[in-house]
Amino acid sequence: MEMIARNPTNGVYPTSPDYIHALEVRHPSRLLFVSGTMGLDHEGMAAADLEGQLELIWSNLGAILTSADMTVDNIVRLTSYLSNGAFMEANQNARLRALSGRAVPTTAIIVETLRDDWLVEIEIIAAD
């Protein structure tokens, strides 16, 4: 599988170091669509704070990816659902840490539909 960042310089705004406009995935053999994943522990309890929930989310995503013989290197698309716009920077930093700085197409959406104790939810698409 080949992944190619697509960041045209004409006709669209420039990207930032942690953002790409598009990712072309050539010749994938499998796609994995992961439901929105929350910062819940093994008993289904949410971590008390945003950092704890982000840590659990990325741990949970790692377990889901491992079950498909994939890693975070296979992530080709990510959507974050945040209960508060103030969580944007922490979410971005957690994503950059988890992906070792690799940029993938990403969108963050502020939502009011999460339970009160759920601060963030992340869904991904992975390919290999």
Side-chain angles (χ1 to χ4, degrees):
M1 178 181 74
E2 183 180 6
M3 291 189 262
I4 304 165
R6 296 295 181 187
N7 290 314
T9 56
N10 293 320
V12 65
Y13 54 88
T15 61
S16 59
D18 69 317
Y19 176 84
I20 61 175
H21 286 301
L23 182 67
E24 180 179 345
V25 180
R26 292 186 178 179
H27 312 294
S29 61
R30 299 182 303 147
L31 296 174
L32 179 69
F33 296 86
V34 180
S35 295
T37 302
M38 282 75 65
L40 307 178
D41 64 18
H42 296 286
E43 296 176 1
M45 300 300 296
D49 62 9
L50 179 62
E51 289 299 327
Q53 288 192 25
L54 287 166
E55 185 176 317
L56 280 170
I57 285 171
W58 284 103
S59 175
N60 292 338
L61 288 171
I64 293 165
L65 288 162
T66 297
S67 76
D69 294 321
M70 294 184 180
T71 71
V72 294
D73 293 335
N74 295 99
I75 295 173
V76 297
R77 175 81 176 119
L78 184 146
T79 303
S80 298
Y81 301 92
L82 308 172
S83 64
N84 187 314
F87 299 160
M88 294 285 289
E89 186 174 356
N91 181 61
Q92 172 187 319
N93 292 340
R95 173 177 44 83
L96 290 172
R97 277 191 308 273
L99 299 180
S100 299
R102 185 172 66 89
V104 298
T106 183
T107 300
I109 302 169
I110 309 305
V111 298
E112 295 180 359
T113 56
L114 298 175
R115 281 185 16 183
D116 290 343
D117 57 340
W118 295 352
L119 306 177
V120 60
E121 179 177 341
I122 296 177
E123 69 179 11
I124 60 169
I125 299 173
D128 79 352

